[in-house]
Amino acid sequence: MHFESVNPATGERFAEYAHASPPEIEAQLQRAHEAHLEWRNVSVEARTDPLRTLARLLREQKELHGDLMTREMGKPITQAIAEVEKCALVCEYYADIASSALAPIPVETDASTSYWTYRPLGVVLGIMPWNFPYWQVIRFAAPALTAGNAVLLKHAPNVPGCALSIERLLCEAGYPEGLFVQLLLDVENTGELIADARIQAVSLTGSVRAGRAVASRAGAAIKKCVLELGGSDPSIVLADADLDAAAASCATGRFINSGQSCVAAKRFVVVDAVREAFEEKLLQAMDDWPLGDPLDPSTGVGPMARSDLRDALHGQVERSVEAGARLVVGGVVPERPGGWYPPTVLADVSPGMPAYSEELFGPVACIVPVADEAEAIRVANDTAFGLGASVYTTDVERGEVIAVDLIDAGNCFVNGIVKSDPRLPFGGTKESGYGRELSPLGLLEFTNVKTVWVK
């Protein structure tokens, strides 16, 4: 059995990699466990040295890694290089804050000395997706390693080259041998790993279905897990919004990474007073997101990562149109090899349509008309997901009230697209998962908060 690297722009298979065998899995897991036993006693300050080196290497080699991303999963090259640069940024962030964030917290009690401290858990299994094949790994691994853990990576099967490349990068950055290990695993072997006593926690970014399976396995083994799952993020456009800015922002939020992002803007919930004007301006803003060769720096939208994902998306579009949605633009599968799908807009989307209730993981924008602000908030929350949401209004104070008090999501932005930032916690509610990545909270997720009392 093997994994294949397939260029989604052409359908060309350009590399094959063998699955890890059971003896290889056992050997690598044991290596990670032994590496952790030494690494956990290394000072926090010393653990940050490889992070700074990793950041430098990422910047120096950004074109190389960006090109690999583009060839394996179709990300437009400019966005791929930007992803590598963002990985360098998160490394530098954790190198800067680790010592203070992981410092013991003294408390006055009846003891001579009492405090809590943060100790690493052990080997953390990371199950990562293909859509941001470097960022998702580095944003999880950088804090997990810095907190003193070891990392075992199970990457998505369509980006094996990225998984191997990341492993080489961390080795070159100076991390001890075996501390970060990638394994080309199938689903069955991954599930069995969670039960192994040497695995202490799991971080998954993926589908709701995968999240349920991992949470069940981890729960049975009484192990912590962090889940960042799907999303059907609403962008509320109120009557007083700056429509030019809102349309440009919504287009960016929907079409970046060819629409393949859990936290992408997917449902544009627009009040009737500005719906027609917003639709027109959205179509104009789409001119900045041309479909084209992902290796061309001017391309905005490339192919989807796999043809089967494109076909599933097209089926959702067709069923939505059959249920009454209006196809404004796009919605036709190009006659060419690869996972191509044009930027598409569906209007008059309403309950009962896949475009309303399901996650559309690709370059399809859905306009949901509502009468007023109250209905907009109700529709925004009318979803099983709760990853992100945006509100567009010139009344910034009202927008903040809506974001803080009225929208049920883990990330709420006013007058901007939802995006991850190393300095801010990132995660969801409801079927979008639980736990937080990034910020100091992401550094502490995989630690044992240990109370110490001395008299």
Side-chain angles (χ1 to χ4, degrees), residues 392-404:
Y392 293 91
T393 174
T394 53
D395 185 345
V396 176
E397 292 184 358
R398 178 58 184 166
E400 187 173 355
V401 168
I402 293 171
V404 173

Side-chain angles (χ1 to χ4, degrees), residues 369-390:
V370 292
D372 52 26
E373 177 190 299
E375 187 181 3
I377 293 168
R378 181 187 64 77
V379 168
N381 288 326
D382 186 22
T383 173
F385 299 106
L387 191 53
S390 293

Side-chain angles (χ1 to χ4, degrees), residues 260-282:
Q260 300 167 118
S261 171
C262 294
V263 78
K266 298 187 175 80
R267 295 179 297 135
F268 302 144
V269 183
V270 187
V271 298
D272 286 335
V274 295
R275 183 189 55 76
E276 290 186 7
F278 174 81
E279 183 180 315
E280 180 180 342
K281 290 181 181 297
L282 178 64

